[in-house]
Amino acid sequence: MLNKKIVFTLLFWGLVAAITFFLLLEVKPIPQTWPKDKLEHALIFALLTYLGAKAHPKHILYICLGLAIYGGLMEQAQSLLTQTRTGSIEDWLADLAGIAFAFYALNLHKKLAA
């Protein structure tokens, strides 16, 4: 039977792979509405932060830093590697907000559980 650390690690990297695929997929441009698009970014990166923290709780700061860099690189990649997508600072800021929210929630949960 797989232990929880392995399961969370597989979920984390599976989600990273899926997000990378979908963010670099050439699609017909769809008008994005402001709150919905930014909430999607924040929720995805909050989930990634949660999964990463569950997989490697002692390395949460590195996970947050890595996800922040990943989010920025994905925005750059959308602009440079696709013709139908564009990266934006606002999307990256939404990614960072999701990371920060999950980091705060995980720390709050840890303090309340102690």
Side-chain angles (χ1 to χ4, degrees):
M1 176 170 246
L2 295 175
N3 68 25
K4 288 182 182 181
K5 182 177 179 175
I6 292 172
V7 171
F8 282 115
T9 299
L10 291 172
L11 288 171
F12 175 82
W13 287 112
L15 187 56
V16 167
I19 290 167
T20 302
F21 174 78
F22 285 114
L23 288 178
L24 297 178
L25 187 66
E26 296 284 352
V27 295
K28 183 179 175 183
I30 302 168
Q32 297 293 327
T33 57
W34 179 78
K36 181 180 178 281
D37 177 51
K38 303 311 174 237
L39 282 174
E40 289 169 353
H41 277 265
L43 288 172
I44 288 168
F45 276 80
L47 178 58
L48 281 171
T49 304
Y50 173 79
L51 292 173
K54 288 299 200 177
H56 303 284
K58 293 182 180 182
H59 302 291
I60 184 66
L61 290 176
Y62 293 116
I63 290 164
C64 290
L65 179 61
L67 287 173
I69 292 168
Y70 169 73
L73 289 174
M74 288 310 301
E75 293 304 317
Q76 285 292 318
Q78 285 182 328
S79 292
L80 298 172
L81 302 176
T82 68
Q83 295 181 18
T84 59
R85 293 183 175 263
T86 57
S88 76
I89 294 289
E90 293 84 6
D91 286 349
W92 184 55
L93 291 174
D95 299 343
L96 296 177
I99 294 166
F101 173 78
F103 180 78
Y104 175 76
L106 286 163
N107 281 324
L108 181 63
H109 180 265
K110 190 178 185 182
K111 286 179 184 179
L112 292 174

